Amino acid sequence: GESVGLHLPTLSVQEGDNSIINCAYSNSASDYFIWYKQESGKGPQFIIDIRSNMDKRQGQRVTVLLNKTVKHLSLQIAATQPGDSAVYFCAERSYGGSQGNLIFGKGTKLSVKP
Amino acid sequence: DTGVSQDPRHKITKRGQNVTFRCDPISEHNRLYWYRQTLGQGPEFLTYFQNEAQLEKSRLLSDRFSAERPKGSFSTLEIQRTEQGDSAMYLCASSLGQGTGELFFGEGSRLTVL
């Protein structure tokens, strides 16, 4: 229900520390994964993506790790800054599935303490 | 600003009224998507267009919902006979199409049905 949905998993980190946000997916047919960041009152913003033929991809201050064996995805943020405070969503797309239908997870709220 | 724009940003309506949202995608993007997001949840796919063709509709899209993209540019999402359960953020996104799953989201249109 609505009250359960409000209780997002929350990760609280100190400014300058590294953050790791985890995501479990259930569909072994998923071949493409994306991390989005959503700040309060705004639309989701693309961070980084990874295809299933890779297990790691790096961007600027962010790294995505994919473990297909256990169907787990993680987002690592280096030297976390206050501006990183937001809700982070992983999303997946199934191989052969709709080109439009990204399935989003529930999200994790990242809180950065100065 | 050349991002995805949505209008109106906020809409309060009484149950039973019709509402329409507009989305203007990034100009060179041929794909346009509608998602719905409720508090504390990730976005849920509703429908998407490639140019003017509506290629997929979610089962979430009841017959009270209709989306159009008449000239392959802007799109409208209409909800007829609104219900309180329709209260949500309606997100529009666009993309270049095949080869990338990166969707560029707008800021959303928040609907409150009283």
Side-chain angles (χ1 to χ4, degrees), chain B residues 32-78:
Chain B
L32 185 148
Y33 312 79
W34 285 99
Y35 280 76
R36 180 172 69 188
Q37 186 176 27
T38 53
L39 195 63
Q41 301 293 319
E44 296 173 297
F45 171 77
L46 292 178
T47 188
Y48 91 100
F49 294 83
Q50 179 155 316
N51 300 314
E52 66 275 11
Q54 188 173 17
L55 295 188
E56 185 170 346
K57 293 192 288 187
S58 163
R59 282 172 288 180
L60 291 175
L61 212 66
S62 77
D63 57 7
R64 295 185 298 106
F65 287 67
S66 61
E68 295 182 341
R69 195 182 183 197
K71 297 181 181 178
S73 56
F74 74 92
S75 175
T76 57
L77 176 69
E78 182 183 15

Side-chain angles (χ1 to χ4, degrees), chain A residues 1-2 4-6 8 32 34 36 38 41-44 46 49 51 89 93 98-102 104-106, chain B residues 9 31 33 35 37-45 48 56 89 91 98-108:
Chain A
E2 188 74 17
V4 172
L6 285 171
L8 277 174
Y32 180 74
I34 310 180
Y36 278 91
Q38 188 172 26
K42 296 188 176 181
F46 173 88
D49 60 0
R51 297 193 181 277
F89 293 98
R93 188 184 67 207
S98 163
Q99 291 292 310
N101 196 352
L102 283 177
F104 283 78
K106 280 186 180 287
Chain B
R9 293 291 311 280
R31 291 194 173 191
Y33 312 79
Y35 280 76
Q37 186 176 27
T38 53
L39 195 63
Q41 301 293 319
E44 296 173 297
F45 171 77
Y48 91 100
E56 185 170 346
M89 176 77 84
L91 292 163
Q98 292 181 1
T100 176
E102 181 177 353
L103 273 57
F104 294 81
F105 283 87
E107 304 285 72

Side-chain angles (χ1 to χ4, degrees), chain A residues 17-111:
Chain A
D17 287 352
N18 297 336
S19 302
I20 300 176
I21 301 171
N22 296 304
C23 176
Y25 65 94
S26 56
N27 190 346
S28 55
S30 291
D31 68 338
Y32 180 74
F33 305 87
I34 310 180
W35 281 99
Y36 278 91
K37 171 186 179 183
Q38 188 172 26
E39 296 175 62
S40 181
K42 296 188 176 181
Q45 179 185 7
F46 173 88
I47 302 173
I48 192 168
D49 60 0
I50 188 167
R51 297 193 181 277
S52 60
N53 60 353
M54 303 172 69
D55 53 21
K56 180 179 180 179
R57 191 166 188 222
Q58 287 184 292
Q60 188 176 14
R61 279 202 309 119
V62 294
T63 301
V64 56
L65 298 177
L66 175 63
N67 185 330
K68 294 181 287 294
T69 303
V70 295
K71 291 186 281 190
H72 183 269
L73 194 67
S74 68
L75 177 70
Q76 300 178 358
I77 304 173
T80 315
Q81 302 168 0
D84 295 326
S85 293
V87 177
Y88 289 80
F89 293 98
C90 65
E92 62 183 296
R93 188 184 67 207
S94 298
Y95 176 76
S98 163
Q99 291 292 310
N101 196 352
L102 283 177
I103 308 296
F104 283 78
K106 280 186 180 287
T108 296
K109 183 176 180 180
L110 177 64
S111 210

